[in-house]
Amino acid sequence: MPSDEASWDVVVVGAGPAGSSAARAAAESGARVLLLEKAELPRYKTCGGGLIGYSRRSLPPGFEIPVRQRIDAISFTINGERLRTRKDRAGDLLVLVNRAEFDLALAKAAVDAGAVLRTGSTVTGVEQDEPGRAVVTLADGGRIAAGAVIGADGSASRVARYVGVRCDQVDLGLEAEIQVPQSVAAEWTNRVLVDWGPLPGSYGWVFPKGDVLTVGVISARGEGEATRRYYRDFIERLGLAEYPTISDSGHLTRCREAGSPLSRGRVLVAGDAAGLLEPWTREGISFALRSGALAGRSAAELARAAEESGDAGYTAAVEDLLGVEMRAGSAMLKLFERHPGFFHRTVTLIPMAWKMFADFCRGKTSPAQLVRNPVARALIRTLPRQTAAKVLKHL
């Protein structure tokens, strides 16, 4: 029989942005919530740590973002060439955070809402072996029952395997945290770099966080050696190879296949575990925060139900809020894969295109709104006729 010292309505697996948001939302809905995290917090997480407007608006009221840098300018290059910098007068394009600090603050917000956080707890599986209950199993042999379980345990999620999540886009990201002297750090103050890369759909970035620069690249899985070469060349040509590397890591991002399940009985998945991210930029924090909150409220409702009746509207809510953004992002990725130069020219030379990009960063527009924008469609028509017709057909 399942055993634990307390009775739980909702168990959340993983204390990243999706898991902590889910735990907080479920607790605020009146559920007894246990938040399980395999690591001790704070812990390192491979991630650029850029918060767009949608991420900031999805944070709990009164949440103090542990800001490392506020960004008001973006430099663009295409494979290291044609450097152009655009500045935003509003000064709120991005907020950069250290993920260890950010995730710890989110977990504390969940605890403040009433959730119980338990670190050092590795979940090895999930099952539903009795009516009205789901059970998670732990590496130490423990078993914990709840009225609902939320898997927010990352892109290699065990809970996602149980649910049957399918992903049709997998990318390899490589990233380093590089310690730089004050003179170098000053060159990057309030400015990030985006480099449209040499591989289809690839790009690189530099995110400054005081005397540490987060430098990385991402490209489709299957081009591992070419991606690693791009990564090495990118760091070298930026003149950063001579400085100490604090961390050097890689990770896979997985993007959900349309129609892939988000639940199985009383088990839901959110964030990276569900493959929820924006396909073009691979931005995932805003998707994690928003899907986590939806999952938490749905799980609390599911836990109160004596009999299982779907997933309390979770899948429909995700499709309505995030599915449309993912489909638009996928269309933008296909265009970017074929015409990176088009993106570079338009965003750096055409004021309206820069404004649309800046509005995306600020969260004033979304991929779905961008592809429907008459100006964006007019710009696409500047491509060769056959290409433009093909692109517009899929937008």
Side-chain angles (χ1 to χ4, degrees):
M1 290 293 291
S3 61
D4 189 45
E5 66 272 17
S7 175
W8 305 101
D9 297 319
V10 176
V11 169
V12 181
V13 183
S20 290
S21 293
R24 175 178 57 83
E28 289 175 345
S29 297
R32 298 181 301 276
V33 182
L34 176 64
L35 175 58
L36 300 174
E37 167 58 42
K38 66 180 179 181
E40 298 297 331
L41 298 178
R43 49 93 175 97
Y44 176 76
K45 171 71 175 177
T46 303
C47 178
L51 303 186
I52 64 173
Y54 281 113
S55 296
R56 286 172 273 167
R57 287 205 298 273
S58 301
L59 296 169
F63 183 87
E64 292 189 13
I65 302 174
V67 177
R68 286 298 184 99
Q69 194 115 184
R70 295 186 184 276
I71 300 303
D72 61 15
I74 303 180
S75 293
F76 296 92
T77 54
I78 181 162
N79 200 18
E81 300 179 345
R82 289 181 262 169
L83 172 66
R84 293 171 185 144
T85 300
R86 300 303 305 258
K87 193 173 177 67
D88 180 68
R89 293 179 182 176
D92 62 348
L93 288 171
L94 292 170
V95 167
L96 303 185
V97 297
N98 177 297
R99 277 292 303 275
E101 298 169 348
F102 181 63
D103 289 10
L104 178 61
L106 287 172
K108 287 181 176 178
V111 171
D112 289 344
V116 174
L117 171 65
R118 186 181 300 171
T119 58
S121 300
T122 300
V123 171
T124 56
V126 61
E127 58 191 55
Q128 297 173 86
D129 61 357
E130 59 179 270
R133 306 295 277 174
V135 179
V136 296
T137 57
L138 305 178
D140 63 5
R143 289 161 59 82
I144 305 173
V149 170
I150 300 172
D153 44 340
S155 61
S157 168
R158 291 180 180 272
V159 182
R161 288 200 291 272
Y162 173 80
V163 169
V165 174
R166 303 185 305 274
C167 295
D168 62 2
Q169 176 186 325
V170 182
D171 297 293
L172 170 63
L174 302 173
E175 185 177 88
E177 302 276 352
I178 300 175
Q179 186 91 43
V180 295
Q182 185 56 43
S183 59
V184 175
E187 297 174 7
W188 292 96
T189 301
N190 307 123
R191 176 177 68 96
V192 302
L193 170 69
V194 175
D195 178 68
W196 314 118
L199 304 170
S202 68
Y203 74 94
W205 62 87
V206 178
F207 283 4
K209 299 166 186 174
D211 61 354
V212 173
L213 302 181
T214 299
V215 185
V217 305
I218 195 163
S219 186
R221 184 180 67 171
E223 298 287 345
E225 184 50 44
T227 303
R228 285 187 285 273
R229 184 165 54 250
Y230 173 35
Y231 177 56
R232 292 192 298 267
D233 291 347
F234 184 54
I235 292 174
E236 181 71 34
R237 69 175 176 242
L238 288 168
L240 300 175
E242 62 185 278
Y243 301 117
T245 299
I246 299 172
S247 65
D248 192 343
S249 59
H251 69 287
L252 294 177
T253 64
R254 295 180 169 87
C255 191
R256 174 179 179 253
E257 177 185 311
S260 170
L262 295 170
S263 66
R264 179 178 173 184
R266 292 179 174 271
V267 180
L268 315 177
V269 284
D272 286 346
L276 296 172
L277 54 86
E278 197 280 295
W280 174 40
T281 62
R282 288 79 157 188
E283 189 278 321
I285 296 177
S286 74
F287 282 72
L289 292 168
R290 290 179 288 174
S291 65
L294 291 172
R297 289 190 287 269
S298 295
E301 183 178 338
L302 195 57
R304 288 191 291 267
E307 296 182 3
E308 182 187 317
S309 55
D311 59 9
Y314 175 60
T315 295
V318 169
E319 292 288 5
D320 287 346
L321 181 66
L322 303 177
V324 63
E325 305 302 333
M326 294 182 69
R327 289 190 291 274
S330 182
M332 292 176 69
L333 175 62
K334 287 180 173 60
L335 175 60
F336 174 61
E337 287 173 337
R338 294 176 176 86
H339 304 283
F342 167 79
F343 277 82
H344 187 69
R345 288 191 304 273
T346 55
V347 79
T348 60
L349 296 177
I350 300 175
M352 183 56 71
W354 161 248
K355 182 181 183 302
M356 288 189 290
F357 188 88
D359 283 347
F360 167 74
C361 293
R362 283 192 293 261
K364 291 186 175 180
T365 191
S366 67
Q369 292 168 323
L370 280 174
V371 300
R372 292 194 298 266
N373 187 294
V375 174
R377 299 177 81 86
L379 289 170
I380 290 168
R381 290 190 181 94
T382 66
L383 292 167
R385 183 178 298 177
Q386 273 191 324
T387 300
K390 186 180 295 186
V391 169
L392 291 169
K393 181 180 178 182
H394 290 92
L395 292 180

